[in-house]
Amino acid sequence: MIDTFEHALPHGITLSCRAAGPVGAPVLLFLHGFPEAAFVWDPLLLHFSRPENGGWRCVAPNLRGYEQSSRPPEVEAYKARLLVQDLQALIARESPKAPLGALVAHDWGGAVAWSLANQAPELMQRLVIINSPHPGAFVRELRHNPAQLAASAYMNFLIQPGAEERLAENDFARLWGFFQRFGAQGEPAWLSEDVKNQYRTVWRTSLRGGCNYYRASPLRPGDAHHPGAAALELPESMLQVSCPTQVLWGLGDHALLPGLLDGLDAWVPQLQVRRHDTASHWIVHEDPIWVMQQIQDFLGQAVQR
């Protein structure tokens, strides 16, 4: 059973959440990306909350800008430090006496998770990243890999004024196309009409917030108004992740290419990479059993400190 509730955080942001499992049990926290929302994690929340799978307290927030979470209109409200602040406050509410068992994150949720793991590794025992590039690798690939630069060109559409209105046109036609352009072939089998209606409910309120993540980030291809990653210098201290980390990657991702996996161990010493040969960016939907099994195995490993 999935519970829904809201956390009003001390700094004025409210996050609507979905959860399963007993309050007080060790916590797994799940972070969604764009253009999704917390509901995409429901199968994993139910799986890991079952006693035979660990009996975890599983929590998936809607990130700021999404669903019923606070949706500030200003682009500046989506800077990375503010998104990290949201998670720090949420973890203080959900897991006040112990670090998270794991932080599990996909796409934009992964971008925030990499930052949180760098800045506050004491808040988690493990990190699981699903098709979300490490910032050091992303800067490198945007600068030196023309194929990745071309694959990321869609970001320059999402930052344009009025992008949210264009995404909403014709029953969100461009957004349904995202599920194909990022790796699926034709209409994805998992995208039933019921699932589409869940997306429609979120998109009617959340597209501005989702686009503002891209507008607020310098980690993108440059355009006539902003140099993007070409002008970005990230100090090594901002790239190191010390906690045990598992990276799951669908190699059929057309937006985030496999070169993003190269050299990760220079920043993430305790690294495990698991590649899925046929899945795409939407691996959580396409092969949830594989994803759950990989995470289950990772959770069973001893944490080295």
Side-chain angles (χ1 to χ4, degrees):
M1 180 176 177
I2 302 293
D3 297 322
T4 59
F5 54 91
E6 295 185 350
H7 273 304
L9 304 178
H11 55 283
I13 292 292
T14 296
L15 297 182
S16 60
C17 298
R18 303 175 72 83
V23 175
V27 176
L28 302 181
L29 188 65
F30 296 81
L31 307 180
H32 69 86
F34 177 85
E36 302 203 285
F39 75 84
V40 303
W41 295 113
D42 283 1
L44 278 74
L45 304 185
L46 294 171
H47 173 87
F48 287 105
S49 66
R50 296 188 184 107
E52 64 270 25
N53 298 321
W56 301 88
R57 167 73 171 170
C58 298
V59 181
N62 289 290
L63 300 178
R64 74 160 65 187
Y66 286 87
E67 211 240 17
Q68 297 305 307
S69 293
S70 297
R71 301 190 297 271
E74 306 85 3
V75 171
E76 293 75 17
Y78 297 85
K79 294 288 188 181
R81 63 177 178 81
L82 300 176
L83 305 175
V84 168
Q85 181 185 28
D86 291 350
L87 294 186
Q88 290 172 317
L90 179 62
I91 292 168
R93 288 286 180 85
E94 282 288 343
S95 189
K97 297 181 180 179
L100 299 173
L103 177 61
V104 181
H106 174 247
D107 188 74
W108 258 109
V112 186
W114 281 121
S115 293
L116 180 64
N118 167 262
Q119 296 174 36
E122 71 279 1
L123 295 181
M124 66 197 74
Q125 292 185 297
R126 300 170 183 82
L127 175 66
V128 179
I129 296 289
I130 305 172
N131 281 72
S132 182
H134 182 280
F138 203 23
V139 168
R140 182 194 68 217
E141 295 298 293
L142 287 174
R143 286 180 176 172
H144 302 297
N145 185 344
Q148 183 58 63
L149 188 65
S152 299
Y154 72 93
M155 295 182 179
N156 287 335
F157 168 78
L158 294 175
I159 65 174
Q160 293 174 11
E164 46 272 88
E165 286 81 7
R166 289 192 287 277
L167 289 173
E169 290 173 354
N170 193 23
D171 185 34
F172 308 105
R174 287 182 174 89
L175 285 169
W176 304 128
F178 263 50
F179 295 124
Q180 297 179 30
R181 286 195 300 275
F182 286 11
Q185 302 298 318
E187 179 91 338
W190 56 268
L191 194 59
S192 68
E193 195 61 28
D194 286 344
V195 173
K196 281 187 171 183
N197 284 332
Q198 287 181 288
Y199 280 111
R200 289 183 178 107
T201 298
V202 172
W203 293 344
R204 290 185 186 114
T205 63
S206 304
L207 292 181
R208 175 173 292 181
C211 288
N212 279 346
Y213 278 69
Y214 293 92
R215 293 169 178 143
S217 175
L219 195 51
R220 55 179 171 82
D223 58 23
H225 305 288
H226 194 286
L232 194 59
E233 295 294 338
L234 297 177
E236 283 296 308
S237 61
M238 291 180 60
L239 302 177
Q240 299 298 316
V241 172
S242 60
C243 64
T245 300
Q246 180 186 66
V247 173
L248 307 180
W249 207 271
L251 294 177
D253 191 331
H254 293 176
L256 299 169
L257 305 183
L260 291 164
L261 298 174
D262 296 342
L264 288 183
D265 54 352
W267 299 300
V268 190
Q270 297 189 69
L271 176 67
Q272 176 191 103
V273 178
R274 295 288 182 262
R275 297 168 173 85
H276 192 301
D277 290 337
T278 59
S280 77
H281 187 74
W282 313 109
I283 185 172
V284 172
H285 303 290
E286 293 164 340
D287 200 344
I289 294 175
W290 184 87
V291 171
M292 289 186 285
Q293 185 61 60
Q294 301 308 311
I295 297 173
Q296 192 85 54
D297 292 346
F298 187 53
L299 292 173
Q301 297 178 9
V303 176
Q304 299 177 9
R305 288 294 190 187

